[in-house]
């Protein structure tokens, strides 16, 4: 089983920025970020393939968030800019293979423990 660990969450004011990191044991083909707000279902945020040539974002974060990865460091990042209160959630890193609809939770086999992001004034 792939091991993952997220870090970088915290409290930030609206309009601020945070960068999340996910350390992974290996180089999975697909990696993604999901988030889950209190009382809501877990939702897709972004995914990236091994080469970083393909990146996809949820409409709610497009233009504000950037996913990237450093294969040499076995690390995936989520740069979050212009944060809004509705971005408040626990953010999870996940790994997947070459095939599937990577906007769906079912496409992922391994998950990190999550890191809390709170956007509030």
């Amino acid at each position: 089983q792939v091991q993952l660990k997220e870090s970088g969450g915290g409290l930030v004011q609206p309009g601020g920025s945070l960068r999340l990191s996910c350390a992974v044991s290996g180089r999975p083909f697909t990696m993604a970020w999901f988030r889950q707000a209190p009382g809501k279902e877990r939702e897709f945020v972004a995914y990236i393939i091994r080469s970083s040539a393909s990146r996809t974002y949820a409409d709610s974060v497009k233009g504000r968030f950037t996913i990237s990865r450093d294969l040499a460091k076995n690390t995936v990042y989520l740069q979050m800019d212009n944060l809004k209160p509705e971005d408040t959630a626990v953010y999870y890193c996940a790994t997947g293979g070459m095939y599937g609809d990577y906007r769906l939770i079912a496409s992922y086999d391994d998950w990190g423990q999550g890191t809390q992001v709170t956007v509030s004034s």
Side-chain angles (χ1 to χ4, degrees), residues 34-75:
F34 286 75
R35 66 187 183 186
Q36 187 166 18
K40 295 186 177 181
E41 301 291 331
R42 185 158 43 184
E43 66 174 350
F44 168 77
V45 175
Y47 75 75
I48 187 170
I49 65 170
R50 202 198 319 271
S51 69
S52 298
S54 181
R55 290 175 282 186
T56 298
Y57 300 90
D59 288 343
S60 59
V61 307
K62 192 175 300 181
R64 299 189 297 119
F65 290 11
T66 303
I67 188 170
S68 61
R69 66 190 297 179
D70 186 333
L71 295 180
K73 295 183 177 181
N74 289 359
T75 302

Side-chain angles (χ1 to χ4, degrees), residues 10-16 18 83-88 117-121:
L11 175 65
V12 64
Q13 295 183 0
L18 286 173
L83 284 160
K84 303 175 180 180
E86 53 262 43
D87 295 318
T88 295
V117 173
T118 302
V119 185
S120 177
S121 58

